[in-house]
Amino acid sequence: MNKKISFAGPSITQKEIDYVIDGVKNGFYETFDMHIKKLEKTVCDYLDVKYGIAVHCCTLALHLACASIGLKKDDEVICPDFSCIPTVYPIVYTGATPIFVDIDPDSWCIDPNMIKKAITKKTKAIMLVHTFGHPAEMDKIMQIAKDHDLYVIEDAAPALGSTFKNQKTGTFGDVGCFSFHGAKVAVSGEGGIFVTNNEEIFKKARLLATMGRTDSKAVFWSDLLGYQYTIANLTAALALAQVERIEELVAKKRKIFSWYEKRLKNITGIKMIKEKKNCRSNYAYPSILLKDEIKIERDEILRIFKEQNIHARPTFPRMSRFPFFNISINNPIAENVFRRGISLPSAFNLTEEDANFVCDILLNLIE
Ligand SMILES: *Cc1c(COP(=O)(O)O)cnc(C)c1O
């Protein structure tokens, strides 16, 4: 068997080990949350935002976002029909209804023109995704939100370190949410963070995330139905070490993309999903689309990859088709990307040789 080429996996150095040991030794008693506080401050400073709340995972950060802007039954939230399902669950948790729209064929992010068409009297918010680390078109989206008085939540789960016109993704909307899941760029196994510049939203979210505990009438008193969403200090210690290395990590991801690009950019039949003008992508998941002229099925390519111990990933199915939504709408771009997209291996231990091997196998199959 060839060497395993993993789809994703982190870069762990002595720094991460030192921080976790520090967490084990010192992250209890009166310093029980020292790494959590540091993580929140470090992420806020890096992004240049005012408030951060580190939580158990990004899905919960997105739920805090939906809850703290006050989404409720009969509200509509416009979201892309192409993402990982945790983008949408939190909308549903509040009783609101996701309205699935099509994506931009070049970035695989929500198409601003489709947002406009989907707006109704019930629309309360836009939930966009910086898909695979590629920045969505934030200037157009924020303008639409302003014109129609809508909240904007950025699912920036994989997009730490990406920028749109030199501003970090996750800092444009009312709330931005990031993930430290083990397959993202900066990891802690499970983990996530909610960020905002809005003090009111921050206070509401902090209260919800900490069991709604106000201590107003007695110690341990709660004034509303809250949640217990806090991150473990030990987990935060690992995330902190990674966030302190974020620029180095993004540089490696961009390098991996450049290795693939060198080999694949002139191949007719393959479309590489690249950062747009004025954007920096962190290339969390370097991805390609097989154009119509390529006759071999995408899943056949993935099967042969697996035989070669190459672990690539198919793109997301359309969430609108999942049984608990089961909505029949036409989103042709998302449908095509679902059938013909591949995310290539980009674990942090990937070498240029590995990338070349992946390209050799791929090119041999399509030519
Ligand atoms: C990873 C991911 C999530 C979920 O993050 P968790 O930390 O695992 O909850 C949500 N949305 C997108 C776009 C993601 O890539």
Side-chain angles (χ1 to χ4, degrees):
M1 196 66 158
N2 300 321
K3 172 189 167 192
K4 179 166 185 174
I5 299 182
S6 301
F7 176 70
S11 158
I12 300 296
T13 63
Q14 193 59 42
K15 184 187 189 76
E16 282 76 9
I17 295 165
D18 290 345
Y19 280 30
V20 170
I21 289 173
D22 186 32
V24 173
K25 285 185 173 167
N26 303 314
F28 299 98
Y29 294 98
E30 56 283 347
T31 49
F32 71 97
D33 60 355
M34 62 191 258
H35 291 99
I36 299 173
K37 284 185 178 146
K38 253 189 169 164
L39 174 66
E40 288 171 347
K41 177 160 186 354
T42 304
V43 172
C44 286
D45 289 350
Y46 175 69
L47 296 173
D48 196 17
V49 292
K50 286 195 188 134
Y51 310 105
I53 305 171
V55 290
H56 169 73
C57 68
C58 183
T59 309
L60 301 186
L62 290 165
H63 185 209
L64 288 180
C66 292
S68 59
I69 65 169
L71 288 181
K72 57 187 189 315
K73 194 169 174 296
D74 295 331
D75 291 343
E76 292 180 354
V77 180
I78 298 171
C79 61
D81 201 1
F82 178 79
S83 187
C84 185
I85 190 67
T87 301
V88 174
Y89 280 151
I91 299 170
V92 182
Y93 295 163
T94 67
T97 304
I99 303 295
F100 297 98
V101 304
D102 214 349
I103 53 171
D104 173 336
D106 297 323
S107 67
W108 295 357
C109 297
I110 197 164
D111 180 340
N113 293 318
M114 296 300 154
I115 297 176
K116 275 189 212 158
K117 286 190 190 159
I119 292 172
T120 71
K121 279 196 210 101
K122 292 180 172 178
T123 310
K124 279 283 152 54
I126 300 165
M127 168 77 84
L128 63 97
V129 183
H130 298 293
T131 307
F132 297 159
H134 296 302
E137 286 187 78
M138 291 319 300
D139 47 1
K140 289 186 191 161
I141 294 170
M142 293 314 293
Q143 188 60 49
I144 295 167
K146 206 172 150 204
D147 293 346
H148 297 270
D149 199 18
L150 305 176
Y151 287 105
V152 174
I153 301 170
E154 296 179 69
D155 180 353
L160 189 64
S162 298
T163 62
F164 179 88
K165 295 192 174 161
N166 290 319
Q167 185 180 335
K168 301 268 178 8
T169 53
T171 68
F172 290 83
D174 297 280
V175 181
C177 300
F178 297 89
S179 173
F180 302 121
H181 180 273
K184 310 290 187 201
V185 177
V187 314
S188 61
E190 299 288 355
I193 192 162
F194 165 111
V195 300
T196 183
N197 280 311
N198 182 314
E199 189 181 1
E200 212 175 305
I201 289 177
F202 165 69
K203 282 186 173 160
K204 181 89 187 282
R206 179 70 94 190
L207 190 59
L208 288 171
T210 52
M211 299 178 284
R213 183 178 155 179
T214 54
D215 292 349
S216 65
K217 297 211 166 72
V219 178
F220 302 120
W221 188 273
S222 285
D223 282 303
L224 79 171
L225 178 66
Y227 310 99
Q228 210 313 49
Y229 282 179
T230 38
I231 193 171
N233 187 71
L234 204 49
T235 303
L238 180 50
L240 174 63
Q242 292 266 287
V243 171
E244 287 182 357
R245 293 176 56 221
I246 185 66
E247 285 301 314
E248 176 200 337
L249 298 176
V250 171
K252 171 80 199 241
K253 281 283 186 181
R254 291 179 62 82
K255 179 123 247 172
I256 292 171
F257 177 78
S258 77
W259 294 332
Y260 286 124
E261 189 182 29
K262 217 188 306 179
R263 294 289 307 280
L264 302 177
K265 72 174 175 202
N266 292 325
I267 309 297
T268 48
I270 288 183
K271 172 170 172 160
M272 303 211 68
I273 305 308
K274 290 168 60 165
E275 65 195 0
K276 289 190 158 187
K277 215 168 137 244
N278 299 319
C279 292
R280 177 176 90 154
S281 174
N282 69 0
Y283 286 108
Y285 306 109
S287 299
I288 59 172
L289 184 82
L290 306 169
K291 295 188 198 163
D292 291 345
E293 60 249 48
I294 291 185
K295 292 304 166 212
I296 183 168
E297 291 291 329
R298 185 268 316 269
D299 290 344
E300 180 63 5
I301 293 176
L302 292 177
R303 194 185 63 74
I304 293 165
F305 272 177
K306 207 164 257 170
E307 279 177 8
Q308 297 291 335
N309 218 3
I310 296 169
H311 298 264
R313 216 169 66 172
T315 33
F316 301 120
R318 288 170 54 208
M319 299 174 290
S320 60
R321 303 298 302 135
F322 290 8
F324 41 84
F325 298 119
N326 199 18
I327 304 165
S328 273
I329 39 166
N330 240 347
N331 284 321
I333 311 284
E335 182 68 24
N336 188 48
V337 172
F338 156 49
R339 295 190 183 286
R340 302 288 284 170
I342 299 177
S343 294
L344 298 167
S346 67
F348 277 92
N349 64 2
L350 194 102
T351 65
E352 184 163 13
E353 251 171 46
D354 297 337
N356 279 330
F357 180 65
V358 173
C359 293
D360 289 342
I361 303 284
L362 177 65
L363 293 175
N364 191 36
L365 287 173
I366 65 168
E367 275 169 2

